[in-house]
């Protein structure tokens, strides 16, 4: 399952989505902001996948449903605290109501529904908002391992675990390759500038 840990550089064209464009207050070039966000999204994906894979091996898929209910929010909170960004998962059809998409997230994901992959890699989008906030999103396509919890045919014990944890679940009935959701990252300028500075300071000379 290691192929699911993705190191992605595919970028969804800024021209394809409305952006208010840079403002004079911006101090971090969008290319550096994007690179910083990609690295953070990579960490989130890799660590969460590792946790869920280990749990599935030890406790089965139903156990992974329970682990995901606590592990994913805890990891998002941890990485948000460490980085200074706000990172979360969202979707058009949510499992956790707290992951409901805002207007921007919904608009971007709706544009990805028919083709969440570009050149075989999940699409990405980035933009500076009018107030100087930087936003980044990466599509989460449905991978084969996801179908055990999000597919059209789910085992009874897994369905029971989902109903117990997520009584308002909308995130089943997916097929492999369909858009499952997105990683969504937001930065204010101060936090972004600090993160980029720290990252560059740690690079080999």
């Amino acid at each position: 399952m290691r192929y699911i840990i993705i190191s992605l550089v595919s970028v969804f064209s800024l021209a394809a989505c409305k952006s208010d464009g840079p403002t004079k207050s911006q101090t971090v070039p969008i290319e550096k902001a994007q690179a910083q966000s990609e690295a953070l999204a990579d960490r989130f994906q890799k660590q969460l996948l590792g946790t869920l894979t280990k749990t599935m091996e030890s406790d089965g898929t139903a156990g992974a449903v329970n682990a995901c209910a606590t592990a994913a929010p805890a990891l998002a909170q941890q990485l948000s605290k460490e980085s200074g960004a706000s990172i979360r998962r969202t979707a058009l059809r949510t499992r956790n109501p707290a992951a409901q998409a805002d207007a921007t997230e919904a608009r971007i994901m709706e544009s990805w529904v028919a083709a969440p992959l570009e050149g075989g890699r999940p699409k990405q989008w980035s933009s500076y908002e009018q107030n100087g906030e930087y936003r980044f999103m990466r599509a989460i396509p449905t991978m084969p391992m996801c179908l055990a919890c999000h597919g059209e045919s789910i085992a009874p014990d897994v369905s029971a675990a989902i109903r117990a944890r997520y009584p308002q679940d909308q995130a089943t009935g997916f097929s492999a390759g369909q858009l499952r959701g997105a990683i969504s990252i937001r930065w204010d300028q101060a936090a972004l500038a600090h993160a980029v500075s720290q990252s560059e300071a740690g690079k080999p000379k």
Side-chain angles (χ1 to χ4, degrees):
M1 287 184 257
R2 296 178 61 83
Y3 66 90
I4 302 172
I5 301 173
I6 315 168
S7 56
L8 301 165
V9 294
S10 178
V11 181
F12 184 61
S13 173
L14 294 179
C17 295
K18 181 181 178 181
S19 171
D20 294 311
T23 65
K24 292 182 179 179
S25 64
Q26 288 171 16
T27 59
V28 178
I30 197 166
E31 294 82 3
K32 291 185 177 182
Q34 181 178 302
Q36 194 70 32
S37 299
E38 288 176 358
L40 184 57
D42 285 345
R43 285 184 63 195
F44 183 68
Q45 283 185 302
K46 183 175 181 178
Q47 292 182 38
L48 182 58
L49 178 62
T51 297
L52 295 180
T53 300
K54 289 180 181 178
T55 303
M56 289 181 73
E57 291 172 350
S58 61
D59 302 328
T61 303
V65 171
N66 293 324
C68 191
T70 55
L75 178 58
Q77 184 177 23
Q78 173 196 332
L79 293 182
S80 294
K81 184 176 180 180
E82 290 179 6
S83 65
S86 173
I87 180 170
R88 72 182 192 128
R89 294 185 301 170
T90 185
L92 294 173
R93 289 158 53 191
T94 59
R95 174 151 286 174
N96 184 345
Q100 191 71 34
D102 65 23
T104 296
E105 291 166 339
R107 172 170 58 86
I108 299 305
M109 287 188 289
E110 285 166 357
S111 74
W112 288 343
V113 166
L117 296 173
E118 187 173 62
R121 299 173 176 176
K123 287 186 175 180
Q124 298 185 167
W125 170 89
S126 57
S127 176
Y128 279 109
E129 298 293 295
Q130 194 167 27
N131 62 2
E133 179 184 63
Y134 174 78
R135 302 192 64 167
F136 171 91
M137 290 178 66
R138 174 185 289 174
I140 303 175
T142 304
M143 299 298 182
M145 72 170 291
C146 303
L147 298 178
C149 295
H150 296 285
E152 297 176 351
S153 179
I154 300 175
D157 63 325
V158 178
S159 293
I162 293 171
R163 287 195 303 271
R165 282 284 186 175
Y166 306 103
Q168 298 177 326
D169 176 53
Q170 302 174 354
T172 57
F174 288 93
S175 300
Q178 288 186 320
L179 180 70
R180 167 66 192 90
I183 294 174
S184 182
I185 299 175
R186 302 174 74 143
W187 302 85
D188 65 36
Q189 279 295 318
L192 178 57
H194 178 73
V196 170
S197 176
Q198 292 292 102
S199 178
E200 293 182 341
K203 289 181 180 179
K205 302 296 183 182

